[in-house]
Amino acid sequence: PTSTDDALGAGQWGIGPSAIVVYIEKPWVAGFLASNTWGLNPGDDNRVNSFLFQYFVNYNLDGGWYLVSAPIMTANWNAESSDRWTIPIGGGVGRVFKVGRQPMNVNSQIFYNIEKPSTGGDWQWRLQVQWMFPK
């Protein structure tokens, strides 16, 4: 229950397993992340029970550029079956570069939701900016 507004969180602590698998074979980086979270409020009819799956595929190009697809698929196991899943498809482009001595990673991806809850949007856009701190 660490959100600053009820609309931004579930209002309960959660716990669950996560797993990640990564494959690297130049110029490819691929893998997936999967997790499920259960709320820790016994007897609460609104206990969280959610699933997340993200595959990622990067194809590295010259000059720090790369092609990427890393959609985040989710399921709310408490929702009606017609409103349970969000499944996006798509991808984008990114680049790793330095600002002074600071490595950065910036990418932009666009996804179409082939499955979504009735209140969900048709499209997603992700703009990611990372400050990197390698050893």
Side-chain angles (χ1 to χ4, degrees):
T2 59
S3 60
T4 57
D5 187 288
D6 290 344
L8 301 175
Q12 57 190 282
W13 292 98
I15 192 169
S18 294
I20 187 166
V21 173
V22 179
Y23 169 81
I24 301 173
E25 180 79 31
K26 288 185 179 183
W28 296 95
V29 177
F32 67 86
L33 165 70
S35 67
N36 202 90
T37 303
W38 293 278
L40 294 177
N41 290 1
D44 184 347
D45 290 340
N46 294 318
R47 269 180 64 181
V48 169
N49 185 0
S50 62
F51 174 73
L52 179 144
F53 181 83
Q54 180 180 26
Y55 73 80
F56 48 91
V57 178
N58 285 43
Y59 183 81
N60 294 308
L61 305 166
D62 292 336
W65 290 94
Y66 60 91
L67 303 175
V68 60
S69 181
I72 298 172
M73 301 169 204
T74 59
N76 175 356
W77 300 121
N78 295 332
E80 297 292 327
S81 62
S82 62
D83 280 344
R84 187 166 292 158
W85 286 93
T86 300
I87 302 178
I89 58 169
V93 63
R95 186 165 185 229
V96 176
F97 58 95
K98 287 187 177 180
V99 175
R101 295 178 53 197
Q102 177 64 57
M104 303 281 295
N105 177 22
V106 175
N107 75 60
S108 178
Q109 299 178 65
I110 192 161
F111 303 100
Y112 177 74
N113 292 324
I114 60 172
E115 183 71 32
K116 63 182 176 56
S118 58
T119 58
D122 292 331
W123 293 91
Q124 297 179 38
W125 174 56
R126 182 183 314 144
L127 176 63
Q128 180 176 332
V129 178
Q130 290 177 294
W131 285 260
M132 299 167 53
F133 300 97
K135 288 185 176 183

